[in-house]
Amino acid sequence: RMMEPESDSDAESSWEEAEAGDATPCPCLFCDEEFESALDTLSHCTGSHGVDILRMKSMLGLDFYSCVKLINYIRSEHPSPGEVAGTCASSPPFPWDQDQYFKPSLAEDPLLSFHYFDDDQQAAAAAAAAG
């Protein structure tokens, strides 16, 4: 007896389940909470810890590589949210301006693949943080 082929809806639902199961939780930069997406984590960091990474990127003129180093610096050195936020009032060189922070301190960190220069994501993050 031959097996029945999966219907489109069965294949679709198993695909969606597989995709949902593949989502890497995104830990907060400052506490033990984990979130479903990088955007949720960034919104949490802004709302709960007073550190707005997207605003820092804009204020300090950080490029993509500087954002990567900033995230890895926070994850590896564990500065307080106040110390990180305080860098907005300082000038370069910043504590994360070292090549050692190109190396991820968290494997497959969703914050390192976040599109920091995607205007739609920035607008969504700003709306999430405000609301």
Side-chain angles (χ1 to χ4, degrees):
R1 180 174 173 255
M2 291 185 62
M3 290 182 61
E4 292 286 317
E6 279 189 43
S7 72
D8 283 346
S9 63
D10 287 347
E12 221 171 83
S13 70
S14 62
W15 177 255
E16 287 169 5
E17 287 166 17
E19 273 189 344
D22 290 344
T24 304
C26 187
C28 174
L29 292 167
F30 302 104
C31 69
D32 292 333
E33 285 193 63
E34 289 189 338
F35 300 89
E36 290 183 16
S37 72
L39 189 58
D40 290 344
T41 301
L42 293 172
S43 296
H44 165 80
C45 288
T46 301
S48 296
H49 303 292
V51 176
D52 185 340
I53 298 293
L54 296 177
R55 185 166 174 264
M56 287 181 68
K57 176 197 82 68
S58 175
M59 285 181 66
L60 301 175
L62 304 180
D63 62 11
F64 173 78
Y65 298 105
S66 296
C67 290
V68 165
K69 291 194 289 186
L70 170 61
I71 298 301
N72 290 330
Y73 164 75
I74 295 170
R75 290 225 191 270
S76 62
E77 304 300 329
H78 311 288
S80 72
E83 289 173 307
V84 175
T87 60
C88 286
S90 65
S91 55
F94 300 110
W96 58 86
D97 283 341
Q98 298 172 44
D99 286 348
Q100 73 194 53
Y101 299 119
F102 276 125
K103 183 175 188 243
S105 58
L106 177 68
E108 297 182 32
D109 189 340
L111 288 178
L112 299 182
S113 57
F114 183 76
H115 300 282
Y116 292 94
F117 294 90
D118 181 330
D119 291 336
D120 292 340
Q121 277 194 335
Q122 286 186 27

